[in-house]
Amino acid sequence: MNIQTIVYLDLESTGLKESGRPRISEISLVAVNTKDFLKSQSYINDVISKKENCDKILPRIMNKLTLCVYPMAPVLPDVSIITGLDNYNLYGQAKFDINTVELIDSFLRRLPAPVCLVSHNGDRFDFPLLKAELDKCGGKLEHSLLCADSYIAIRSICQCRHDILPKMSFSLINLHQRVFGCLPETSHGAEADCLTLLKVTAVLGVEFIDWVEDNYYKFRHCSAMWNMI
């Protein structure tokens, strides 16, 4: 299967998985055509060697959808400090309901297929949490939608390259600093983190796409983080 579109997914939530039953407070989807993604790699060496603004490697053609959601649950104070989202500034935003699902599904369906969601630590957090929210409101996404975890992808690629792994952090912020020599200008916002992940994976180019092609799975097979009441 030749994946035509990579959709970077990032969620902000009320808390971590360990906090009980986290709810989504912000969701962002940044879609890039695979061919445009691979073209980005041609700019990378110049950007890194000249220490230029790494935003230059972002493809010109990107489709984006970012939604804030009233989570119907308290946002933990520690999370608010990191994300800038709390129950006060989210008040008045729509909750995650069937209309939200239809909007996301419509966005994904208009993209060239096959479409693959890519999220950092997605297997453990973003995919299960999104699935839980979908199940709660009785919604589903495109039946053929694929997904892959970039955290596992990057770690696996480094192992194949025999890069030094001990004490190496694969957090998104640290990967950006390792590759570009600086921290992302903005982090812990859903869209900003999608763009950071796009830049980091673009450095790997065809290696990343090959890994995704070999390791994707159907999103519908993902287990929900929690069950609806």
Side-chain angles (χ1 to χ4, degrees):
M1 180 183 293
N2 292 320
I3 294 170
Q4 296 298 305
T5 307
I6 296 290
V7 181
Y8 292 90
L9 165 71
D10 190 77
L11 306 177
E12 300 301 336
S13 65
T14 57
L16 300 176
K17 183 178 181 180
E18 294 75 17
S19 64
R21 196 178 74 164
R23 303 296 302 275
I24 292 175
S25 57
E26 186 180 33
I27 179 170
S28 187
L29 300 159
V30 175
V32 181
N33 185 278
T34 304
K35 291 181 180 178
D36 291 332
F37 170 86
L38 292 173
K39 288 179 183 177
S40 297
Q41 194 175 26
S42 63
Y43 303 107
I44 290 173
N45 290 334
D46 282 343
V47 167
I48 294 175
S49 63
K50 296 177 182 177
K51 297 183 179 180
E52 294 179 340
N53 184 350
C54 57
D55 286 342
K56 288 184 177 181
I57 69 173
L58 291 173
R60 173 62 184 88
I61 304 299
M62 294 185 287
N63 288 290
K64 303 176 183 178
L65 176 65
T66 299
L67 302 169
C68 287
V69 178
Y70 190 74
M72 306 298 290
V75 180
L76 296 179
D78 290 347
V79 173
S80 293
I81 292 172
I82 295 172
T83 66
L85 298 174
D86 56 45
N87 292 94
Y88 297 100
N89 59 19
L90 287 169
Y91 184 77
Q93 298 297 311
K95 64 181 181 179
F96 196 105
D97 57 15
I98 195 64
N99 294 318
T100 313
V101 179
E102 290 174 356
L103 181 57
I104 294 171
D105 192 50
S106 178
F107 174 81
L108 293 171
R109 285 177 182 272
R110 70 184 298 274
L111 302 170
V115 175
C116 185
L117 296 178
V118 169
S119 184
H120 210 59
N121 204 31
D123 286 355
R124 295 188 61 192
F125 190 80
D126 298 79
F127 302 147
L129 179 53
L130 178 57
K131 189 65 162 52
E133 293 280 14
L134 291 168
D135 288 352
K136 181 174 175 58
C137 63
K140 293 182 180 180
L141 298 180
E142 166 62 37
H143 189 72
S144 62
L145 183 65
L146 310 174
C147 59
D149 189 330
S150 56
Y151 182 97
I152 298 173
I154 295 171
R155 186 175 179 87
S156 298
I157 292 169
C158 286
Q159 288 175 330
C160 290
R161 288 179 170 186
H162 303 293
D163 284 0
I164 299 173
L165 294 182
K167 298 183 180 180
M168 178 178 171
S169 171
F170 289 88
S171 73
L172 188 54
I173 291 176
N174 288 331
L175 285 170
H176 189 281
Q177 185 169 34
R178 178 183 173 92
V179 173
F180 298 106
C182 63
L183 295 173
E185 289 188 13
T186 307
S187 59
H188 298 300
E191 183 175 326
D193 286 351
C194 284
L195 294 175
T196 296
L197 184 57
L198 195 167
K199 288 182 283 186
V200 169
T201 53
V203 174
L204 300 173
V206 69
E207 287 181 279
F208 179 74
I209 296 298
D210 286 346
W211 189 94
V212 171
E213 290 273 4
D214 291 338
N215 295 276
Y216 69 78
Y217 59 97
K218 297 287 183 68
F219 176 76
R220 69 175 187 269
H221 295 157
C222 180
S223 298
M225 182 179 291
W226 40 261
N227 296 321
M228 63 181 182
I229 296 175

